Amino acid sequence: MNLKNSKFYKRIQTLRHFSKEKILKERTIRTMALRGVEMALSESQCNHDVDAASVAAASAWSPPLSSTSRRKSPAGGAAKSKMIKKKTDTSPRTREKGFKPVQPASDEDNDGAEVNGYIELNKCRYRVACSGRVDATTSRAAEPLFVESKSTICVSNSRYAMIGRISRLLGYKLVKESKLWNILWSDSFPGVELFKNMKRFQQINHFPGMIEICRKDLLSRNLNRMLKLYPHDYKIFPKTWMLPADYGDAMHYALNHKHTFILKPDSGAQGRGIWLTNDLKTIGANERLICQTYVYRPLLIDGYKFDLRVYTLITSVDPLRIYVYNEGLARFATNKYVEPTPGNANDLYMHLTNYSVNKRNSQYDLCDNDDCGSKRKLSAINNWMTRHNYDVAEFWSNVDDVIIKTVLSAWPVLKHNYHACFPGHDTIQACFEILGFDILVDWKLKPYILEVNHSPSFHTNEQVDREVKRPLIRDTLTLVSTVLADKKQILREDRKRVKQRLLKSKGDSVLRPRQVAGGAKPPTNETNVATAPKPEAGSLAQQVAWEESHLGNFRRIMPPQDASRISYYSKFYAQSNQVSIFQETAASKKREDLARKMRLQIEEKRAKAEQMLLASTKRKRPIQPRSVREKHRQYMYRLKENWIPGFVSEAEERLRHTWQQMRSEAIKNLKITENIYALLYELGHLSNTDITVFPSLYHCLQIGYDIKGAT
Ligand code: ADP
């Protein structure tokens, strides 16, 4: 009996269908309610002015050296997309086809912002630019809420439950890593294999090569290199030496300057292993440390030292696109600051501002108000600065400058790695990354970069954390989720390409490296090979448009809003032209020397260990390998071939001859040979056939000597 035709089966199917619909409806209502709560928590304000021209400039502008970039300027945009000059407002925050932006009833039905243009894509309209202040909260509230996203996110490699929660609120479906996720959120740097196997609709929250600025030693190396190239522009970090390679330089500086130094483990974090000293002689010559001049006059609030955690989002490296979150954290030390003396240098609660250090102090202030507490919001710091007549706008423009220059110091590596890992990613950017920049401010309001974190903490222990980090994650996911990543379509295209490639003749199908657009290396993974997609001219333009219209509380700092700054930053892109990043410097030579010495030491140790092992196991000469034996044999042969007899004197020769005669006569007279033979015969060791084997015996018998009688 066919169960599928039975009435019972059909009834169950109908019921299933209805319950599915019901669940969906309920989920929508829940999503809306939760979003409402989330919005209420958010204090973010869209305080950026973006006009259509700047959008165009931003998307059209690319660094002068990015000639290898596969992307074109958005002039004209994609065939599908159009710029429309209208006053309507729809900002769908979804990316899959299932989301239909609701058209407003009238032109006045927007959030009061003057809208300059829209991009039309797949019959949906996306806001491109707005001028004037836009209240993000109200604008979002007016936005259509989507029902159910087909986009998936994998957060199983993240320890922060908040990421999963917010993703779900935004309509993402949480999936395992083994599934075809749209976004992978990981706390650690993934391996190159994962990057290389990514499909064209997938995004990951790390860029390959970002370690160049996220490890203290690499950051110091890159910034020092840039300082050498651009001495006036790169005074953005305290003087730094990498020990032991720069030990001599550091000692020389210490001799000529009375300064306090701060020493940090080269790949440490959370304030571990940090100490202050003004005597560098106490450091061992072989210790691996980062040595920095101590910024001894920091800006103080209420007498406490603090540093800033500035959240920065990078959405693309070629062209470089950087956004800074307007809200962040200021982390305070918990003992009042006094300039370092030998007496207080050990007081970490005074000199370090790490949360992980200061939370252990009983003085740690958990106050929730803006103007107190050991952790405060950046907006509170801005208010404090305004109250104290500091130029807040100028200060933040300096911070932006520090961030841009820090990222630019690793730009050649970032760009190279991106193109090497993602030759086929033509529709959307394969990566985005939230970086936590630790900025220290001195009494003149000059910002210094201390460190860059590739996985800033998203723990929400305090109210202030929740107020900053939740909107940050939400705005990030919104900004990176472009409408362009249509999973199904891309998979279909990829399958078609693979099929075409297989059907094509062998000779035609092989794509030579140079045929890949943009001069990038040939793709390696199955889906990306062969017919690597031609980059859509407008895909970047569309992404830019999406980003500009979904900034949330982010502000764009790269490309800069101010057109005059564009040419200023252009010169830093040319760093790889001026000097190879692998060029030899005094420090790099020293580093090489050290490495060579270390290698020799290791080899010596290994040889000694081998010798000891040999001595302990067998006291025999080891059998040499066949190749060595063969070499030795050939050497001996050649020696024989070329042998020339030495000089022999006649007297010597005569003497030798006489001795030989005397010896044979003695043997004969004493009948030594015969005696031996007779003995052997008697013992039964010798038979008559042996005469052929022992010619002397044969000789004896021939001359009639009876060997028996010899005894
Ligand atoms: P970690 O990664 O271990 O947190 P950081 O480089 O961020 O190491 O330094 C930890 C803390 O030490 C900073 O938050 C800051 O307060 C202080 N600090 C670091 N470098 C300096 C410096 N050059 N001058 C003054 N204070 C510094």
Side-chain angles (χ1 to χ4, degrees):
M1 180 189 153
N2 190 352
L3 200 69
K4 282 197 173 176
N5 289 335
S6 70
K7 264 187 186 175
F8 178 66
Y9 182 80
K10 280 177 186 164
R11 177 78 187 135
I12 285 183
Q13 287 299 314
T14 331
L15 283 173
R16 247 193 190 172
H17 181 72
F18 281 129
S19 55
K20 225 180 201 177
E21 266 186 0
K22 205 178 157 193
I23 290 168
L24 273 177
K25 253 185 207 167
E26 274 174 9
R27 205 178 284 173
T28 318
I29 294 165
R30 214 178 325 134
T31 312
M32 285 167 75
L34 287 168
R35 281 277 302 280
V37 175
E38 183 73 5
M39 294 305 154
L41 275 174
S42 152
E43 292 184 6
S44 58
Q45 295 261 318
C46 170
N47 56 358
H48 47 270
D49 295 352
V50 188
D51 55 15
S54 79
V55 171
S59 50
W61 188 80
S62 63
L65 280 188
S66 61
S67 54
T68 52
S69 169
R70 286 177 283 114
R71 301 176 196 100
K72 310 251 164 69
S73 87
K80 282 188 211 164
S81 65
K82 280 189 248 167
M83 293 288 284
I84 305 161
K85 279 252 175 194
K86 255 188 188 179
K87 269 196 167 190
T88 48
D89 185 14
T90 48
S91 302
R93 308 178 68 224
T94 60
R95 52 200 249 154
E96 302 279 350
K97 279 179 182 170
F99 311 123
K100 294 272 184 262
V102 179
Q103 296 295 325
S106 70
D107 284 358
E108 283 70 41
D109 191 24
N110 56 27
D111 47 24
E114 190 195 312
V115 177
N116 297 86
Y118 291 88
I119 242 177
E120 202 172 78
L121 184 81
N122 295 341
K123 292 176 194 156
C124 292
R125 257 178 215 177
Y126 303 104
R127 185 171 57 178
V128 170
C130 59
S131 70
R133 244 178 125 79
V134 183
D135 184 335
T137 321
T138 45
S139 78
R140 287 222 183 93
E143 279 172 21
L145 284 164
F146 50 88
V147 181
E148 179 80 345
S149 167
K150 286 173 200 161
S151 295
T152 54
I153 187 166
C154 170
V155 292
S156 47
N157 296 336
S158 171
R159 77 198 104 134
Y160 306 110
M162 182 180 68
I163 315 276
R165 269 204 307 274
I166 294 175
S167 309
R168 220 177 284 130
L169 287 174
L170 289 173
Y172 282 94
K173 194 177 159 200
L174 304 193
V175 291
K176 287 183 196 160
E177 201 185 336
S178 53
K179 299 278 180 218
L180 281 175
W181 36 263
N182 286 85
I183 293 180
L184 176 75
W185 194 292
S186 168
D187 290 346
S188 53
F189 268 124
V192 182
E193 274 311 300
L194 197 142
F195 284 131
K196 291 202 133 192
N197 289 326
M198 271 168 62
K199 304 267 182 289
R200 287 191 294 131
F201 59 84
Q202 293 186 313
Q203 286 173 291
I204 192 162
N205 69 329
H206 292 286
F207 278 93
M210 200 55 90
I211 196 85
E212 283 289 321
I213 53 169
C214 294
R215 257 184 71 125
K216 284 197 187 79
D217 49 352
L218 300 180
L219 175 71
S220 314
R221 191 184 66 182
N222 284 322
L223 289 180
N224 274 330
R225 180 171 47 82
M226 292 301 270
L227 183 68
K228 248 180 216 154
L229 288 173
Y230 310 102
H232 299 297
D233 304 289
Y234 263 83
K235 287 178 183 158
I236 57 168
F237 64 109
K239 265 190 176 305
T240 309
W241 298 271
M242 278 181 285
L243 305 184
D246 300 336
Y247 188 76
D249 290 351
M251 288 299 286
H252 185 255
Y253 184 87
L255 279 176
N256 298 319
H257 301 82
K258 246 192 148 199
H259 225 300
T260 303
F261 298 91
I262 183 163
L263 290 131
K264 317 173 187 181
D266 55 0
S267 59
Q270 300 188 330
R272 276 189 293 263
I274 296 183
W275 85 95
L276 306 188
T277 183
N278 47 20
D279 185 9
L280 287 188
K281 281 180 219 134
T282 52
I283 304 163
N286 288 325
E287 281 185 79
R288 288 175 67 94
L289 291 166
I290 299 296
C291 173
Q292 246 179 16
T293 52
Y294 187 73
V295 179
Y296 66 97
R297 285 187 77 182
L299 183 69
L300 303 179
I301 293 184
D302 307 334
Y304 293 98
K305 177 181 172 176
F306 67 95
D307 76 348
L308 306 177
R309 164 57 58 89
V310 183
Y311 295 102
T312 302
L313 174 68
I314 301 183
T315 57
S316 156
V317 289
D318 187 21
L320 189 58
R321 297 187 64 77
I322 310 175
Y323 300 90
V324 167
Y325 206 60
N326 290 321
E327 196 54 280
L329 293 169
R331 286 105 31 111
F332 283 73
T334 38
N335 283 355
K336 286 213 169 178
Y337 185 78
V338 182
E339 281 185 23
T341 59
N344 69 25
N346 291 336
D347 188 350
L348 299 184
Y349 300 136
M350 178 189 285
H351 295 292
L352 305 195
T353 50
N354 301 75
Y355 167 72
S356 45
V357 171
N358 285 286
K359 70 178 177 189
R360 290 197 289 262
N361 192 358
S362 56
Q363 305 291 315
Y364 190 87
D365 188 355
L366 278 163
C367 166
D368 268 352
N369 289 344
D370 271 3
D371 291 326
C372 62
S374 295
K375 226 188 238 182
R376 300 182 201 178
K377 285 197 283 188
L378 287 186
S379 48
I381 304 296
N382 287 346
N383 290 340
W384 181 90
M385 283 185 187
T386 316
R387 281 203 303 275
H388 289 80
N389 297 325
Y390 287 111
D391 189 341
V392 179
E394 196 193 329
F395 168 69
W396 281 107
S397 117
N398 290 340
V399 172
D400 293 351
D401 181 64
V402 167
I403 292 173
I404 292 171
K405 284 175 179 167
T406 305
V407 178
L408 280 175
S409 72
W411 184 74
V413 177
L414 289 174
K415 182 186 147 196
H416 173 269
N417 286 8
Y418 185 85
H419 287 306
C421 287
F422 308 106
H425 251 84
D426 58 337
T427 324
I428 55 161
Q429 290 292 315
C431 310
F432 65 92
E433 189 152 6
I434 299 180
L435 297 171
F437 279 74
D438 289 352
I439 307 269
L440 186 70
V441 187
D442 76 357
W443 65 288
K444 286 184 190 163
L445 234 66
K446 181 175 167 47
Y448 290 95
I449 177 80
L450 291 184
E451 198 193 9
V452 185
N453 292 277
H454 63 84
S455 285
S457 160
F458 291 122
H459 284 303
T460 46
N461 305 332
E462 294 174 38
Q463 179 60 20
V464 63
D465 287 321
R466 288 187 280 278
E467 285 174 11
V468 171
K469 293 173 188 176
R470 274 188 194 171
L472 167 70
I473 302 287
R474 187 200 55 209
D475 288 354
T476 302
L477 283 171
T478 309
L479 198 145
V480 299
S481 318
T482 67
V483 281
L484 303 163
D486 189 335
K487 187 198 284 188
K488 275 190 181 166
Q489 197 188 331
I490 289 175
L491 280 175
R492 226 178 292 131
E493 278 174 18
D494 282 349
R495 248 177 268 134
K496 211 168 138 190
R497 272 186 210 130
V498 173
K499 218 173 175 181
Q500 275 176 356
R501 189 170 57 91
L502 289 172
L503 289 174
K504 267 187 187 176
S505 68
K506 210 180 169 188
D508 297 347
S509 65
V510 179
L511 188 80
R512 279 166 207 95
R514 253 169 270 115
Q515 281 174 286
V516 182
K521 281 183 184 165
T524 46
N525 54 341
E526 243 328 84
T527 47
N528 291 339
V529 257
T531 41
K534 274 185 193 169
E536 265 184 53
S539 62
L540 180 66
Q542 287 168 24
Q543 174 162 354
V544 169
W546 178 272
E547 287 176 6
E548 295 295 337
S549 55
H550 293 83
L551 284 173
N553 203 13
F554 280 106
R555 66 174 184 276
R556 193 190 73 227
I557 61 164
M558 192 72 197
Q561 309 274 0
D562 180 1
S564 66
R565 301 294 287 171
I566 293 177
S567 54
Y568 170 69
Y569 288 116
S570 298
K571 66 179 177 190
F572 303 123
Y573 285 99
Q575 55 180 287
S576 45
N577 268 11
Q578 296 202 13
V579 64
S580 154
I581 47 172
F582 305 109
Q583 186 166 318
E584 277 197 347
T585 57
S588 75
K589 273 184 198 163
K590 270 184 199 166
R591 229 167 284 132
E592 259 179 36
D593 272 356
L594 269 169
R596 204 179 309 125
K597 271 182 198 166
M598 270 171 73
R599 216 173 29 241
L600 283 175
Q601 275 176 3
I602 291 168
E603 272 170 19
E604 245 174 53
K605 269 186 193 168
R606 198 185 297 153
K608 262 187 194 170
E610 267 176 19
Q611 268 182 3
M612 274 165 68
L613 198 75
L614 264 174
S616 64
T617 47
K618 280 180 195 168
R619 295 194 183 273
K620 260 187 189 175
R621 252 182 74 198
I623 299 171
Q624 283 176 321
R626 182 186 280 268
S627 57
V628 177
R629 274 184 284 152
E630 183 58 21
K631 254 189 192 168
H632 181 71
R633 195 187 63 74
Q634 280 177 4
Y635 172 70
M636 295 305 284
Y637 179 73
R638 267 185 228 124
L639 217 66
K640 238 191 230 172
E641 282 256 287
N642 302 327
W643 183 73
I644 303 161
F647 174 72
V648 181
S649 73
E650 221 174 279
E652 254 180 16
E653 191 58 13
R654 233 182 283 127
L655 193 68
R656 199 176 63 85
H657 190 72
T658 320
W659 280 345
Q660 248 182 356
Q661 265 189 342
M662 278 165 70
R663 197 185 63 165
S664 41
E665 265 174 25
I667 289 172
K668 229 181 185 177
N669 294 340
L670 295 170
K671 292 186 181 170
I672 291 173
T673 326
E674 287 82 347
N675 284 341
I676 291 170
Y677 283 147
L679 191 70
L680 287 172
Y681 191 78
E682 249 180 27
L683 289 171
H685 294 309
L686 210 61
S687 67
N688 284 337
T689 50
D690 288 331
I691 54 171
T692 49
V693 188
F694 302 100
S696 324
L697 181 66
Y698 181 63
H699 178 68
C700 286
L701 292 171
Q702 251 192 347
I703 55 169
Y705 193 79
D706 181 8
I707 55 169
K708 254 192 179 171
T711 50

